[in-house]
Amino acid sequence: MRIDVVSVFPEYFDVMGLSLMGKAQEKGILRITAHNLRDWTHDVHHSVDDTPVGGGAGMVMKPSVWAECLDELLGLDAPDAATPCAGSSADCAGSPVDRAGDAAPAPVVIFPNPSAPLFTQRDATELSHADHLVFGCGRYEGYDARIPEYYRSRGVDVREYSIGDYVLNGGEVATSVMVEAITRLIPGFMGNADSIVEESYTGENALLEHRQYTKPAEWRGLKVPDVLLSGDHGKVDRYRRDEALERTNEIRPDLIERLDCKALDKADRKTLMALGWEVSAAHPRRIR
Ligand code: 6GU
């Protein structure tokens, strides 16, 4: 997978050479390049932003600089200046994407945006199958809305995502989060594929994970639950599954509401009923 990250602070992404992401790059299954958006400016001040049309606080990243950058990274021809893009998308571009090289795989462009839909494990899984991702990190009050609009009109798959209900100073940290969530799902990235399957939020029936313990069996007066020491794998699995259901019920009941009842076994149903859920419809429903 090729990942291009564009930011006015490309140094933010130096950390991507560390740990598993660094190893994946050495192994050649991943290539991450951080670019400085100011490299696509032409003025002496290398300015990338301007005041918001309509007024208001802060600065907005202007479309012209982003377009030169994205045209280059996506291998798109700039439109003829004499025939500005207007009207239907078919008028302003070859169809659907007039890219320079035919064989290049379709890239996905992602703009982190706190006012966009939430990025989920489902998005991470889908994007882990892409060949080329381009992340555009906004700063200040954001970026001109015509940037994503224009590239969509050229047939590019453009996504905007928020990583949670809180405000960050820019898209850099959000990009780091998404890149990590996506790249760890690339086949060959992790040593042990099982450790992906068992994690929270993975698969259709997402539950929070059970708690983990290691040795010693008693530490500072605190004991590991006896059942985990029993050697009975069936009992251990059931104990962990019940704990996952109980913790999810407590912390994230919204995830219980999304479970597919058909995918629950008899013991799951019994546990959920004891926790106050009705499990005979498509999804659990709280009854007490
Ligand atoms: Cl994607 N960007 C910024 N600036 N803040 C955020 C975010 C993104 N997601 C949550 N907060």
Side-chain angles (χ1 to χ4, degrees), residues 112-114 161-171 174 178:
N113 181 339
Y161 290 116
S162 164
I163 62 161
D165 294 337
Y166 37 78
V167 180
L168 305 169
N169 289 331
M178 290 188 270

Side-chain angles (χ1 to χ4, degrees), residues 107-130:
V108 181
V109 177
I110 299 160
F111 288 103
N113 181 339
S115 304
L118 276 183
F119 179 79
T120 66
Q121 188 66 28
R122 187 182 296 269
D123 300 303
T125 303
E126 186 202 349
L127 292 166
S128 72
H129 301 295

Side-chain angles (χ1 to χ4, degrees), residues 34-274:
H35 307 270
N36 192 333
L37 180 64
R38 295 192 201 278
D39 291 348
W40 281 274
T41 58
H42 302 289
D43 61 313
V44 287
H45 298 110
H46 303 287
S47 74
V48 295
D49 58 347
D50 208 336
T51 54
V53 175
M59 298 290 270
V60 177
M61 293 187 117
K62 48 192 192 182
S64 55
V65 179
W66 275 105
E68 290 207 29
C69 166
L70 292 173
D71 285 350
E72 184 178 327
L73 294 178
L74 299 173
L76 290 176
D77 299 322
D80 190 336
T83 54
C85 179
S88 85
S89 61
D91 297 338
C92 69
S95 61
V97 178
D98 54 344
R99 43 188 55 268
D102 260 4
V108 181
V109 177
I110 299 160
F111 288 103
N113 181 339
S115 304
L118 276 183
F119 179 79
T120 66
Q121 188 66 28
R122 187 182 296 269
D123 300 303
T125 303
E126 186 202 349
L127 292 166
S128 72
H129 301 295
D131 299 292
H132 184 196
L133 303 178
V134 179
F135 285 88
C137 301
R139 279 261 143 188
Y140 321 108
E141 296 307 304
Y143 47 85
D144 191 298
R146 291 168 295 182
I147 304 167
E149 181 188 346
Y150 171 77
Y151 286 94
R152 284 188 190 116
S153 82
R154 298 276 311 254
V156 179
D157 183 352
V158 182
R159 317 276 182 97
E160 292 167 280
Y161 290 116
S162 164
I163 62 161
D165 294 337
Y166 37 78
V167 180
L168 305 169
N169 289 331
E172 283 77 10
V173 171
T175 291
S176 303
V177 167
M178 290 188 270
V179 166
E180 185 160 317
I182 293 163
T183 57
R184 63 192 293 285
L185 300 174
I186 298 171
F189 185 92
M190 301 269 273
N192 177 6
D194 289 350
S195 54
I196 289 183
V197 177
E198 285 176 21
E199 281 170 305
S200 303
Y201 304 116
T202 310
E204 294 297 278
N205 275 286
L207 293 176
L208 304 187
E209 262 194 290
H210 59 79
R211 290 174 295 180
Q212 298 279 11
Y213 303 89
T214 184
K215 292 178 277 296
E218 183 172 346
W219 172 77
R220 295 195 177 181
L222 300 173
K223 287 183 176 160
V224 167
D226 282 338
V227 57
L228 300 179
L229 302 163
S230 69
D232 183 332
H233 296 302
K235 276 205 181 126
V236 168
D237 287 351
R238 191 63 247 166
Y239 175 84
R240 287 177 164 170
R241 177 76 178 170
D242 283 341
E243 197 186 60
L245 289 164
E246 285 158 17
R247 286 172 60 78
T248 308
N249 174 63
E250 191 72 30
I251 301 167
R252 293 290 305 276
D254 57 304
L255 295 178
I256 300 281
E257 281 169 5
R258 275 184 258 158
L259 291 175
D260 174 7
C261 286
K262 283 203 296 297
L264 299 171
D265 69 18
K266 233 172 140 178
D268 292 339
R269 286 165 212 253
K270 193 175 156 210
T271 301
L272 283 174
M273 280 164 15

